[in-house]
Amino acid sequence: MRRHRRQQQGPDRGIIPGQGPAVGLCDQFCGINPGLLSAATGHHFARPGNRFWPVLHLSGFTPRRLAPAEQEELLTYRLGITNVVARATARADELSAEEFREGGRILTAKVELLRPQWLAVVGVTAYRTAFGERKAQIGPQERTIGSTRIWALPNPSGLNAHWTAETMAQEYARLREAAAPPD
């Protein structure tokens, strides 16, 4: 029974890999929802065509390209990972607006608890729907959750043909630079 539930809900293990509380995160990445492969494997962004892991490396967040099965290593870089919506689907457009809004409420509570420096929502449409910010654009947002700032990033799904891995990496690098401690 537990396995079935995990497959339906996907790999979200709270707000970080491994379920342990991780206060002091620099950046908290937040995907839209787990795909079916992510739900089956328990690893975020597990589909081979998804560009999250290559872009994370190209943007300088990690010193090498991590595989989805290595998501626990994100903590060593003070990075966390979660989803707006826990329910797994083949495509994000299978989610309802209410699921996004409820996911936004749950995500807000997680962020209030762990207080990362930045919440990086991977998918501007998911951010718009979850937080009721219809005019939000890619980049830093005016909204905060407590002291946590929010950045909307391009969705790394292979279905998002408007962004190449290189242009996504540039935007992710802007977040990395904003989150870097001052010299």
Side-chain angles (χ1 to χ4, degrees):
M1 184 74 167
R2 182 177 178 99
R3 174 175 246 204
H4 179 69
R5 180 172 177 215
R6 180 174 172 182
Q7 288 177 343
Q8 286 180 334
Q9 295 300 315
D12 185 16
R13 300 168 186 217
I15 196 161
I16 55 151
Q19 293 191 20
V23 175
L25 290 174
C26 183
D27 298 302
Q28 174 65 51
F29 289 95
C30 182
I32 298 170
N33 76 307
L36 299 178
L37 185 58
S38 290
T41 63
H43 303 125
H44 290 271
F45 301 102
R47 190 167 181 80
N50 193 292
R51 299 171 288 180
F52 177 79
W53 298 104
V55 167
L56 203 62
H57 170 62
L58 289 171
S59 64
F61 274 106
T62 59
R64 66 179 179 81
R65 180 177 169 177
L66 300 177
E70 297 175 298
Q71 67 186 15
E72 303 286 333
E73 194 172 319
L74 289 175
L75 289 175
T76 64
Y77 309 115
R78 295 183 58 218
L79 304 172
I81 193 164
T82 192
N83 290 300
V84 175
V85 177
R87 184 170 72 88
T89 60
R91 294 174 49 111
D93 62 7
E94 296 174 36
L95 300 170
S96 70
E98 181 52 39
E99 285 178 289
F100 277 110
R101 287 189 293 272
E102 177 63 18
R105 290 187 287 272
I106 293 168
L107 181 59
T108 296
K110 291 176 182 180
V111 169
E112 287 172 342
L113 175 68
L114 297 176
R115 301 182 313 275
Q117 181 181 354
W118 285 93
L119 171 64
V121 180
V122 180
V124 69
T125 302
Y127 173 75
R128 288 174 184 150
T129 307
F131 292 97
E133 299 281 345
R134 288 188 256 157
K135 296 184 181 189
Q137 299 295 314
I138 296 293
Q141 305 301 307
E142 289 185 30
R143 173 190 290 263
T144 61
I145 300 173
S147 62
T148 299
R149 300 208 44 216
I150 301 172
W151 197 293
L153 290 169
N155 183 347
S157 167
L159 298 175
N160 182 3
H162 298 292
W163 291 79
T164 66
E166 291 74 23
T167 57
M168 275 191 276
Q170 291 170 1
E171 186 62 31
Y172 282 54
R174 286 183 57 218
L175 167 62
R176 182 184 50 76
E177 291 163 7
D183 290 334

